[in-house]
Amino acid sequence: MKALSIIRVLDVRQGDGTYVTSLAPQLLLDTLGFVVDFHQDDTVLEFLEVRRILEPAATALAAQRMNAEDVAKLQAVLDGLGDTLDVKALVANDLEFHRLVAVGSGNTVLCSLLEGLSGPTTRARIWRGVTQEGAVARTREQHQAIVDAIASGQPDLARSWATVHVAGVEEWLRKAL
């Protein structure tokens, strides 16, 4: 139900019921394409491998270079997630969080590379949020640990938490495919 709601086949109305949004062939084909592409295209694992290599380095640099105002913006993005279990909100928040960390690295080339890697992994992020129990809480906890390490200027700790975070997604995806 959750997955069909996210990909716009079902409209779940709290306290009212669940409704099919449309049986239009294009919507159903788009939905089927989403699921098939995701499960057949394992190149997303290669993108995650590259993210696992580059993102911890960017996070370590951010711990050395971000000022208090930058860290406050990063914390505000994380706080903006709140207690929502909405997968769309989680993915949007996750993308913005990682973008700010990359910008905080102060390296425009690294930032550009990471931005280019975020698009191809969006479907995996959505699917994980839908199918993995506790994904929202786990993401929030790991992001907070990253913020704390950056705020305290501990590049090795920031690198470690970023590695744990991205490797966790990669590990989940290997099992899911």
Side-chain angles (χ1 to χ4, degrees):
M1 294 268 287
K2 211 176 199 184
L4 291 174
S5 174
I6 285 184
I7 53 180
R8 300 180 334 248
V9 171
L10 296 179
D11 180 19
V12 179
R13 299 178 191 163
Q14 201 73 4
D16 189 30
T18 302
Y19 302 90
V20 175
T21 58
S22 172
L23 293 177
Q26 190 58 45
L27 178 63
L28 295 176
L29 287 173
D30 287 347
T31 301
L32 183 60
F34 175 89
V35 175
V36 170
D37 287 350
F38 179 72
H39 286 301
Q40 286 185 346
D41 183 10
D42 61 358
T43 59
V44 71
L45 286 169
E46 293 177 5
F47 282 101
L48 283 168
E49 286 177 344
V50 176
R51 268 189 70 205
R52 181 174 34 85
I53 293 165
L54 296 179
E55 203 156 316
T59 307
L61 288 172
Q64 295 169 336
R65 298 176 176 171
M66 287 178 80
N67 60 36
E69 184 180 325
D70 295 333
V71 173
K73 288 178 188 174
L74 190 60
Q75 184 67 56
V77 166
L78 180 56
D79 292 345
L81 184 59
D83 292 328
T84 186
L85 297 178
D86 180 326
V87 175
K88 287 181 191 176
L90 172 66
V91 171
N93 187 279
D94 187 59
L95 290 169
E96 179 63 7
F97 181 89
H98 289 280
R99 186 190 72 75
L100 286 177
V101 170
V103 168
S105 74
N107 184 314
T108 57
V109 174
L110 183 56
C111 185
S112 180
L113 288 170
L114 287 170
E115 183 144 340
L117 294 171
S118 69
T121 62
T122 300
R123 283 185 176 180
R125 292 171 182 189
I126 292 169
W127 198 249
R128 180 184 183 221
V130 169
T131 61
Q132 188 181 40
E133 186 73 30
V136 175
R138 187 175 300 104
T139 297
R140 189 181 299 116
E141 289 168 7
Q142 291 171 352
H143 281 187
Q144 187 62 61
I146 290 168
V147 170
D148 293 344
I150 290 171
S152 62
Q154 298 182 60
D156 291 335
L157 184 59
R159 180 190 323 272
S160 296
W161 274 112
T163 301
V164 165
H165 181 57
V166 177
V169 175
E170 184 183 352
E171 178 187 353
W172 165 83
L173 185 58
R174 285 188 190 285
K175 290 177 182 174
L177 294 176

